[in-house]
Amino acid sequence: MFLHSSTVVVDGKAYSFSAPCSTGKSTHTSLWLKLLGDKAFIINDDKAAYRKIDGKYYIFGTPFSGKNDINVNTSAELGAICFIEQSPTNSIERIAPDDALSPLISQTIRPANPERMIMLCDFLNELLNDVPIYRLKCNISLEAAELSYKTMSQGLLL
């Protein structure tokens, strides 16, 4: 599947941030780069490809990389997906699959072909049950990046 997201890779794990346009996905992943330096890179800044291989989920860079044209022709294992909301204060929580379905499908490229849509729904069902999903309410700060990095990389259930 393709997900409208900005995805940063740290220590071989990919962390995807998804939200409607102009919410702050690219801004947030750029804060991860500022916080983590050479330890991190953005694999794709708009529409990465997600694939399940041998029971694990991977992110692949694609040439569909948005206005910033940031992409790398590589792949990394998916660590987590996070939906971003703008807020004056920073908080993050892990959300249940049922709560993640609507924001996930709204940011996914959905096929017109009914058979392919069924395949996408099957993939989403597995992904939602296998991959940690978070909701981040944040401002534009290094503290927001640090909170999301520490929480998501350690799999915390805040």
Side-chain angles (χ1 to χ4, degrees):
M1 77 166 190
F2 289 100
L3 182 66
H4 179 226
S5 59
S6 183
T7 302
V8 63
V9 177
V10 180
D11 296 330
K13 292 279 188 169
Y15 301 94
S16 291
F17 294 89
S18 185
C21 293
S22 300
T23 302
K25 299 174 296 296
S26 299
T27 300
H28 191 73
T29 54
S30 69
L31 288 169
W32 276 48
L33 297 181
K34 192 171 183 179
L35 178 72
L36 300 167
D38 292 340
K39 186 176 175 177
F41 68 93
I42 295 174
I43 193 169
N44 188 275
D45 197 40
D46 193 49
K47 288 180 186 70
Y50 294 67
R51 190 169 172 207
K52 187 176 183 181
I53 303 171
D54 297 328
K56 294 182 179 181
Y57 295 86
Y58 293 88
I59 302 292
F60 292 81
T62 71
F64 315 111
S65 51
K67 65 182 177 222
N68 296 325
D69 197 27
I70 300 171
N71 62 72
V72 179
N73 186 15
T74 191
S75 64
E77 187 177 347
L78 178 60
I81 296 173
C82 185
F83 297 103
I84 294 182
E85 297 175 13
Q86 294 177 351
S87 174
T89 58
N90 299 315
S91 66
I92 189 168
E93 64 179 339
R94 190 157 172 188
I95 57 175
D98 288 349
D99 296 329
L101 178 59
S102 180
L104 184 62
I105 206 158
S106 72
Q107 297 302 317
T108 303
I109 296 175
R110 296 171 300 281
N113 178 300
E115 291 162 3
R116 291 190 185 266
M117 187 63 186
I118 290 170
M119 290 173 59
L120 174 63
C121 288
D122 290 342
F123 180 83
L124 291 174
N125 184 53
E126 291 179 20
L127 180 111
L128 286 167
N129 287 295
D130 295 343
V131 174
I133 312 286
Y134 293 88
R135 178 181 299 115
L136 173 67
K137 296 179 181 179
C138 64
N139 54 34
I140 302 170
S141 67
L142 282 176
E143 291 80 16
E146 184 175 22
L147 174 65
S148 61
Y149 167 67
K150 286 183 175 178
T151 303
M152 294 168 64
S153 67
Q154 296 173 15
L156 300 177
L157 301 174
L158 295 178

